[in-house]
Amino acid sequence: IVFLGFLLFGSCTKEEIRPNIVIFYSDELDPGYLSAYGESFQTPNIDKLWNEGIKFTNAYVAAPMCTPSRFSLLTGKYPGRCVHNDFLKAYPKDQPYVIAWNTYLEGSLPTIASVLSENGYFTGMAGKWHIGKLPEDVNIPVLEKDADLNDPAVDAKLRKYQNIVSEQVRKDAGFDYASSVLWGNFDNFPVLSLRTHNFPWITKGAVDFLEEASKKDQPFFLYVASTAVHGPGHAEAFNKDLRFTLEGKMDDILKYQLPADSMREAINAQPPVLRHKFAGIACLDHHIKLVKEKLAELGLDENTMIIFMADHNVEPGKATCFEKGLKVPFILKLPERQSKGSINDKLVSNVDIFPTILESANIPIPDGLLLDGISILPGIRSENIHTRPYVFAESGLARSVNDGKWKYVAFRYPEDDISRMKNGGLNYAPNYLNMEKQAHSSIAMEHFPAYFDADQLYNLEKDPYEQNNLAYTPAYQAELSRLQKVLADHLSTFDHAYSLADTSFMRTEQYKELVTKSKSFGTDYIPWLRRDHGSIQWPPIK
C-alpha cells in the first residue's frame, strides 16, 4: 500500500501539493458592468475566468465601503470586530458603532496573509490598501501638491514614501512582500499630477511578486487590489504619462498599459456618461489578462486557485445595507477546475473567503481564532449542501440579514442622538453614517423610500430594488419577527450594544420632519460619478 501511494503521489508532502492562491479584489464594481454577468461592457478575460471556474450570483460583502469590506475579506470577521485603538476609543461598548472608513488593521489580528505565511506560504500584495493608519511617529516625506516629478529629490521622496507604506502593510497584515502599494485612493494622493489611475503600476507589482514567488520552493498567496471603477476618472489616465508612478519614474512600465491611442479613440466613441466606466472596466479586464498570462508563463497556473471579487457595489447603494451596495461579482477558479463554466446561486459572503482558502490549503483554523466566515467548498461539491443560511451586513448605524428571499434592515441611532432630536439639539435626522450630509448617503436616500425607517422588510423575489417596505404591514409580522430574532442573535455576539427594541420616536411626525430636512440638503459632488442624463436609474428602467 505504501509503495502504491508513492507511485500515485511520488514524494510530495502536503505543503508541496497545496494550491497557489490569487485574489483579484476590484474596487466599487457592479456585476452588471461585466459581460460575464450578461450585461453591459465586454470583459473577455473575466469571461474566460468564469469558463474555467464558477460564477456566483448571490455573493455579498459584509460592508459596502472600501475599508470595512477589505477588513472582512482579510480577517474573515465582520467589521464590528475591529480592535484598532481608534475604533475602540470612538465607540463605547454601550453604544452602537458606526461602520465607515474606520476599521483599520493592526498587527495583533490574524489575517489570511499571516496565517498562510505561518504555514509555509510566500505571501504578497499589490495595489490599493485603504485599510491602515500610519503611526504618528512615522517620518513621512513631505510631498508638495505641485511637485516636479522629474526632480531627482522628488523621485527619492516618492520611493521613500513607498518603502514606508509597503513596510506598514507587511507589519499590519503579515504579508511577506508588498509592492505598488496605494495607501488610500489615487484622488487623495498629495501630488496633484499623480492623482490618476495607474493600472500598469499595480500590474507590475503583481507580476514582480509572481516572478519572486517562482524562485521559491513553496506555495504562494497574492492579494492584488485594483482600482476599477472607483474614482478619479479612468478615461483621463490615457492622457497621462504613466511612467510617473507613486514610487518614482519607471521607464519600462508602459508594456503593461493598453494601447493609449486606440483606447482614447474607443473611449471617445462612448457617450460621456459611460466613459469612466468603459475605461475602467477595460483596464481591469486587461490587468487580469496580464497577471494570468504571467502565471502561465511561469508554469504556475495549473495549481492556482483564483478568486475574483469586488469590495462593494456602487451608487445608489454604496454605504447602505441595500442590495445595490452589498451584492458583488464573485468568480472562483479551483485548481482542479471543478464545475467549469457553472453558475452557483447559493449565499456567499466575503467573510467566507478566509476559511475557504484555509480548507483548500489543508490548513486548520488556528487555535483561538474565531472566524465569522464558513468555507464554501462543501456547498460547491454538493448541490444539497447550503453552507450559509443567511448573509449579514453592517454599514454605518444600519445592520441587515438576508436569507435569499427575505431581507431585514435595522437602523438604530445612539440614545444621545434620539434625545437631541427630541429636544431640538439636532434639527435634522442623521444618515446611516451618523452625519448631517455625506455624498453616498444623500444619493441613497433619494432612491430608497424607506431609507430612514427603523425597521425595513423586503421580499427580494418580488421587490429586488427594495422600494416597498413591508415591516409595518400586519400580514408580514411573522417574517419580520423571524428575521429580527436571527439578527438579534447575530448581534449578541458583538461587544458593542445594538438594541432592536421598539423605536417609537422614529415613527413620529417630529422625526418625519427631520427626515424631510435631511433629504433637502442635496449631496456633495463626486467628480467621477456622472449624475446627468439619468446615469443613476434606480429602480432600473426596463
Side-chain angles (χ1 to χ4, degrees):
I1 295 174
V2 172
F3 180 70
L4 177 60
F6 181 84
L7 288 178
L8 290 173
F9 301 107
S11 60
C12 290
T13 64
K14 274 186 178 179
E15 286 74 20
E16 289 172 325
I17 62 172
R18 288 174 177 173
N20 304 311
I21 301 157
V22 175
I23 297 179
F24 291 104
Y25 210 54
S26 192
D27 192 2
E28 192 161 312
L29 188 62
D30 189 323
Y33 295 168
L34 309 175
S35 55
Y37 281 80
E39 297 293 341
S40 44
F41 300 107
Q42 292 303 306
T43 51
N45 297 292
I46 297 174
D47 292 354
K48 183 178 179 182
L49 183 60
W50 168 35
N51 291 333
E52 298 168 345
I54 308 163
K55 175 177 72 175
F56 291 81
T57 58
N58 278 308
Y60 290 82
V61 290
M65 290 164 278
C66 294
T67 303
S69 174
R70 292 158 201 269
F71 176 94
S72 291
L73 175 85
L74 292 173
T75 66
K77 295 176 178 288
Y78 293 106
R81 314 278 192 205
C82 179
V83 295
H84 193 277
N85 285 336
D86 287 6
F87 186 82
L88 297 179
K89 285 180 181 179
Y91 304 110
K93 291 185 178 181
D94 63 344
Q95 294 290 323
Y97 50 75
V98 174
I99 292 298
W101 295 270
N102 57 357
T103 53
Y104 305 120
L105 280 182
E106 48 78 47
S108 70
L109 197 62
T111 67
I112 298 175
S114 65
V115 173
L116 289 178
S117 182
E118 290 165 3
N119 284 274
Y121 272 74
F122 178 53
T123 64
M125 77 82 55
K128 179 174 173 176
W129 189 235
H130 208 187
I131 193 175
K133 186 170 184 179
L134 290 171
E136 293 181 0
D137 60 353
V138 172
N139 184 20
I140 304 171
V142 176
L143 295 164
E144 302 295 339
K145 66 179 182 180
D146 57 352
D148 179 2
L149 300 180
N150 284 301
D151 184 343
V154 172
D155 194 271
K157 284 184 178 182
L158 289 169
R159 295 180 191 278
K160 181 179 180 182
Y161 176 85
Q162 183 63 201
N163 288 337
I164 289 171
V165 296
S166 297
E167 174 59 29
Q168 197 65 42
V169 165
R170 293 190 289 270
K171 180 179 178 181
D172 287 348
F175 283 98
D176 300 315
Y177 182 105
S179 181
S180 299
V181 174
L182 172 62
W183 187 249
N185 286 312
F186 280 116
D187 49 354
N188 293 327
F189 197 72
V191 182
L192 292 179
S193 58
L194 291 175
R195 291 183 182 180
T196 187
H197 289 277
N198 198 323
F199 260 89
W201 177 62
I202 293 175
T203 301
K204 181 181 185 301
V207 167
D208 286 352
F209 169 80
L210 293 177
E211 292 276 10
E212 193 68 22
S214 69
K215 304 172 187 175
K216 298 182 179 294
D217 187 22
Q218 61 188 124
F220 67 81
F221 165 60
L222 170 63
Y223 167 66
V224 54
S226 59
T227 55
V229 291
H230 197 286
H234 280 284
E236 287 80 352
F238 289 95
N239 297 319
K240 301 280 188 176
D241 185 348
L242 297 184
R243 293 176 301 167
F244 293 100
T245 77
L246 272 59
E247 59 177 310
K249 190 176 182 182
M250 298 180 173
D251 287 324
D252 66 341
I253 203 169
L254 296 185
K255 65 184 178 183
Y256 300 116
Q257 184 183 25
L258 281 164
D261 290 341
S262 59
M263 274 302 298
R264 281 192 290 267
E265 184 178 344
I267 290 167
N268 290 334
Q270 298 290 319
V273 72
L274 294 180
R275 289 174 184 171
H276 167 71
K277 296 175 186 175
F278 174 83
I281 295 300
C283 289
L284 171 64
D285 195 66
H286 183 65
H287 160 76
I288 290 174
K289 173 189 175 183
L290 294 180
V291 175
K292 287 190 67 195
E293 286 179 346
K294 177 55 67 171
L295 284 168
E297 175 190 322
L298 297 172
L300 300 172
D301 55 334
E302 289 299 320
N303 189 39
T304 297
M305 174 183 184
I306 298 179
I307 293 166
F308 168 72
M309 204 175 200
D311 63 349
H312 54 83
N313 206 308
V314 299
E315 285 82 8
K318 184 176 178 179
T320 75
C321 279
F322 297 116
E323 298 287 282
K324 185 62 173 174
L326 297 170
K327 204 165 188 177
V328 295
F330 172 33
I331 296 173
L332 171 64
K333 172 190 170 291
L334 296 169
E336 60 268 32
R337 303 202 175 198
Q338 187 172 350
S339 306
K340 290 171 60 176
S342 66
I343 299 174
N344 189 305
D345 62 359
K346 296 175 183 178
L347 294 173
V348 178
S349 171
N350 67 338
V351 295
D352 299 333
I353 299 301
F354 194 158
T356 299
I357 285 175
L358 291 187
E359 181 176 350
S360 179
N362 198 25
I363 297 172
I365 297 174
D367 292 342
L369 176 58
L370 299 178
L371 298 180
D372 289 311
I374 306 166
S375 172
I376 66 175
L377 294 182
I380 292 172
R381 295 171 183 144
S382 172
E383 293 183 2
N384 298 321
I385 296 177
H386 289 259
T387 53
R388 170 177 289 284
Y390 305 101
V391 286
F392 299 97
E394 42 193 20
S395 179
L397 291 166
R399 313 286 186 262
S400 69
V401 58
N402 171 0
D403 68 6
K405 176 181 178 180
W406 291 97
K407 169 89 165 282
Y408 170 59
V409 180
F411 175 35
R412 299 292 189 271
Y413 291 108
E415 295 174 3
D416 181 60
D417 283 3
I418 295 289
S419 297
R420 292 169 65 204
M421 283 189 280
K422 283 182 177 179
N423 63 28
L426 280 175
N427 65 349
Y428 62 93
N431 57 40
Y432 285 4
L433 299 185
N434 207 21
M435 299 170 66
E436 178 179 356
K437 184 178 179 180
Q438 192 273 331
H440 312 300
S441 305
S442 300
I443 294 171
M445 66 182 69
E446 293 177 7
H447 294 275
F448 295 97
Y451 177 98
F452 282 100
D453 288 0
D455 296 300
Q456 300 168 43
L457 179 70
Y458 301 101
N459 183 329
L460 297 178
E461 291 181 353
K462 297 180 178 179
D463 180 23
Y465 309 121
E466 294 163 298
Q467 299 294 296
N468 184 21
N469 181 14
L470 303 173
Y472 305 116
T473 303
Y476 299 101
Q477 293 309 293
E479 292 295 346
L480 177 65
S481 297
R482 177 179 68 86
L483 289 182
Q484 279 184 324
K485 183 179 186 311
V486 172
L487 184 59
D489 289 345
H490 167 70
L491 295 174
S492 70
T493 68
F494 290 78
D495 292 335
H496 289 75
Y498 193 97
S499 174
L500 296 179
D502 177 57
T503 53
S504 55
F505 172 74
M506 294 177 71
R507 299 188 69 184
T508 65
E509 290 302 316
Q510 182 183 2
Y511 178 68
K512 292 177 183 177
E513 290 176 5
L514 297 177
V515 167
T516 300
K517 180 71 175 295
S518 295
K519 289 182 177 180
S520 72
F521 291 154
T523 187
D524 298 321
Y525 178 58
I526 304 176
W528 69 88
L529 181 65
R530 293 292 297 263
R531 302 188 68 204
D532 53 354
H533 307 297
S535 63
I536 295 182
Q537 293 290 350
W538 197 260
I541 296 175
K542 297 296 185 181

